[in-house]
Amino acid sequence: MKKLRSIFTCLHSSVWLISKVSSSLCSSCSLSKQNVGVPGSMDKKVVLITGCSSGIGLSLAVQLASYPGKTFKVYATMRNLAKKERLLESVKGLHKDTLDILQMDVTNRHSILDARDRVAEKRVDILVCNAGVGLMGPLELQSLDSMRQILEVNLLGTIQTIQAFLPEMKAQGQGRILVTGSTGGLHGLPFNEVYCASKFAIEGACESLAVLLQHFNIHVSLIECGPVNTDFLVNLQKVELGDTSLQQVDTHTLSLYEKYLQHCGSIFQNAAQDTEDIVKVFLDAIQSPSPAFRYFTSGVAPPLTQLKITEPDGSQCIRAMSETIFSAEEQ
């Protein structure tokens, strides 16, 4: 009898939980139908973008500053203003009233707050956290300082930036936060352990925020990128094959690293997307009246990401990744 009563109690609790989740989902649907600050609902949408010295950030800043009807006022930020010439050359002085360039180091809270205070409109409607760095090589060779830098930029830098602008977004009752994600935040990549750790962490932080911020009419979106034709690979902190530090690594690891670098070269040559394609996805998220939480720049979830969902124990995903990269080595 006690056992039956226990089973009944568990069933009752499960039904209660399901009803609460269903009610919550309905509330989310009603929230998504509210005015979420689609461009045009105010005179001009204020956008602040991090990491605008090159790549996605630069292209997005130019595209929004050039948007018909002067819909957006863009604050393009970068850590080193000495690199602003590339952005200035791209706009050719045509967008003085829709584009400002600000110095901002996402690892420095004072720098973030200073950039925020220099926004003339005293509000940011759309925050784009795009600044990021990579780190590639055998884990045994990574110094604590280099690993810390990756986490400070990709994880803490993103969180610090959101922290600075979130109170005002909450106060105004609307906003968009877009974060440049990565397939390296959805499944592991060999020789990118610390980079993937930072991007996995961003997935968790953004998903947690998204649950909360829907109650403030603030939408969080991750733009999940694969390989992109930008300076990211050029600026990547990478252990080169001729580096003497590789002498510390066993021959099998070195062989696998060579194979991985060949794989990366092939992928970036044959499958990398142009920044214009990525910017279109950002624009879709910005303009949507009910933006999704995740946008895949290729249009669909990568096969390995789908495999993680259908085979949650992870073993097939790991085998598939290994076979894709190291198949010749393993045969």
Side-chain angles (χ1 to χ4, degrees), residues 229-242:
N229 287 316
T230 69
D231 289 343
F232 182 83
L233 201 60
V234 176
N235 298 328
L236 176 70
Q237 296 182 47
K238 179 175 67 175
V239 179
E240 301 290 350
L241 285 179

Side-chain angles (χ1 to χ4, degrees), residues 46-264:
V46 180
V47 187
L48 187 138
I49 309 171
T50 68
C52 292
S53 61
S54 64
I56 295 169
L58 185 150
S59 297
L60 181 61
V62 172
Q63 182 74 23
L64 292 176
S66 309
Y67 207 81
K70 299 182 178 179
T71 303
F72 302 99
K73 171 62 180 292
V74 179
Y75 289 89
T77 76
M78 59 189 70
R79 182 181 61 84
N80 185 2
L81 284 181
K83 296 182 177 181
K84 69 180 180 181
E85 295 304 320
R86 188 169 173 182
L87 176 55
L88 290 173
E89 175 61 25
S90 297
V91 298
K92 302 184 187 302
L94 299 176
H95 312 296
K96 293 180 179 178
D97 54 346
T98 58
L99 177 69
D100 277 348
I101 301 175
L102 301 177
Q103 192 280 333
M104 180 171 152
D105 180 352
V106 299
T107 67
N108 185 315
R109 180 166 175 78
H110 177 75
S111 176
I112 297 170
L113 296 178
D114 183 59
R116 182 197 65 184
D117 293 342
R118 293 175 64 189
V119 173
E121 294 80 2
K122 300 305 176 187
R123 75 173 200 280
V124 168
D125 302 303
I126 302 164
L127 176 64
V128 181
C129 296
N130 170 71
V133 289
L135 179 67
M136 182 189 295
L139 184 63
E140 303 95 307
L141 303 182
Q142 308 301 347
S143 69
L144 184 59
D145 284 344
S146 63
M147 293 189 289
R148 184 179 283 121
Q149 182 192 8
I150 299 303
L151 295 173
E152 285 181 348
V153 175
N154 294 355
L155 175 59
L156 298 179
T158 298
I159 291 175
Q160 275 197 121
T161 302
I162 294 172
Q163 274 185 320
F165 292 92
L166 193 54
E168 182 57 35
M169 278 191 174
K170 285 182 174 180
Q172 68 190 32
Q174 66 175 21
R176 303 284 176 98
I177 299 172
L178 284 76
V179 178
T180 302
S182 169
T183 53
L186 300 170
H187 56 72
L189 299 170
F191 301 109
N192 285 268
E193 294 83 5
V194 180
Y195 172 76
C196 287
S198 70
K199 288 299 188 178
F200 266 68
I202 280 298
E203 292 284 326
C206 288
E207 191 167 312
S208 301
L209 273 173
V211 175
L212 172 68
L213 295 184
Q214 63 178 335
H215 298 282
F216 295 88
N217 202 23
I218 300 171
H219 292 262
V220 180
S221 294
L222 277 160
I223 312 301
E224 309 286 14
C225 304
V228 185
N229 287 316
T230 69
D231 289 343
F232 182 83
L233 201 60
V234 176
N235 298 328
L236 176 70
Q237 296 182 47
K238 179 175 67 175
V239 179
E240 301 290 350
L241 285 179
D243 197 306
T244 56
S245 66
L246 285 172
Q247 296 173 6
Q248 305 172 42
V249 178
D250 64 90
T251 56
H252 192 199
T253 298
L254 180 58
S255 174
L256 291 170
Y257 187 48
E258 290 176 349
K259 181 73 66 175
Y260 180 71
L261 291 178
Q262 292 172 9
H263 172 78
C264 286

